Amino acid sequence: RNFANKLWNAARFVMMNLDIEDIALPEEDKLAPEDKWILSHFNAAAESVNTNLDSYEIGVALSTLYNFIWDEYCDWYIELAKASLTGEDKERANVTQNVLAYVLRETLKLLHPFMPFITEEIYSGLPGTEGSIMIETYPKASDALRFADAANMDKVIDAIRAIRTRRAEMN
């Protein structure tokens, strides 16, 4: 229930902040470090889900999706994207909207076998999606979404987590 609620709220946030007609990934040189980070992590999640489904490790595949959606997409990327969405740079906001929507759409496709009703409902509200999510191509890992400099963002996030942990320990 909590996960479905988190997914629904994330989708609502994304759709409320979209003013694009169709979802398209921007060129690599226009992507910010956080965009490359989430695309790389999505790519790794897609690869892991496909590998685990092929070996009938359904629980592991679902756990991968759960962690990606909850921890990386919702807790980090959406929060990082808010600054770009509300900023003055319209081109940057457009790139962020496309990345937000692309990752959401493709993640819904990965999640569809596990949660068909909610993923179908959210998918039908995304721009440029016609028909059912059920007949869409299931996402696979892509070399185009592997960014070597995405590890730099991992270091930033680890530092923020360490600061938050230390602050909580010190009250």
Side-chain angles (χ1 to χ4, degrees):
R1 180 179 60 95
N2 291 343
F3 179 70
N5 191 43
K6 182 86 161 180
L7 180 63
W8 187 264
N9 287 334
R12 264 192 28 208
F13 172 81
V14 170
M15 287 189 264
M16 283 179 8
N17 287 287
L18 292 182
D19 56 357
I20 55 176
E21 297 296 320
D22 200 18
I23 301 168
L25 268 181
E27 296 172 14
E28 184 178 347
D29 61 333
K30 294 183 179 182
L31 296 173
E34 62 268 19
D35 299 331
K36 292 178 180 179
W37 174 80
I38 195 64
L39 289 169
S40 291
H41 280 255
F42 165 75
N43 197 44
E47 184 173 31
S48 176
V49 167
N50 280 294
T51 300
N52 287 307
L53 287 177
D54 287 345
S55 61
Y56 301 103
E57 294 288 345
I58 296 168
V60 177
L62 188 55
S63 178
T64 299
L65 279 171
Y66 178 91
N67 291 331
F68 171 75
I69 293 167
W70 193 288
D71 296 332
E72 295 169 357
Y73 186 69
C74 293
D75 286 353
W76 284 102
Y77 186 68
I78 286 179
E79 292 303 318
L80 292 169
K82 287 178 181 178
S84 298
L85 293 173
T86 58
E88 297 292 321
D89 188 355
K90 296 299 178 198
E91 183 179 353
R92 177 75 202 117
N94 189 16
V95 169
T96 301
Q97 289 177 33
N98 275 291
V99 173
L100 270 170
Y102 175 83
V103 174
L104 178 61
R105 182 187 67 195
E106 298 303 306
T107 302
L108 289 172
K109 290 177 189 178
L110 285 172
L111 192 58
H112 185 69
F114 306 102
M115 301 175 72
F117 300 109
I118 193 168
T119 55
E120 183 74 47
E121 183 65 26
I122 295 169
Y123 181 83
S124 67
L126 289 173
T129 55
E130 295 181 14
S132 175
I133 192 174
M134 196 178 332
I135 58 173
E136 291 292 325
T137 305
Y138 200 71
K140 301 223 180 289
S142 167
D143 287 336
L145 296 179
R146 295 184 206 278
F147 300 103
D149 52 348
N152 295 336
M153 195 66 195
D154 283 324
K155 291 176 186 174
V156 170
I157 289 172
D158 289 343
I160 292 169
R161 282 186 178 137
I163 292 168
R164 288 178 178 170
T165 301
R166 188 69 178 152
R167 186 178 65 191
E169 289 171 354
M170 301 294 288
N171 290 325

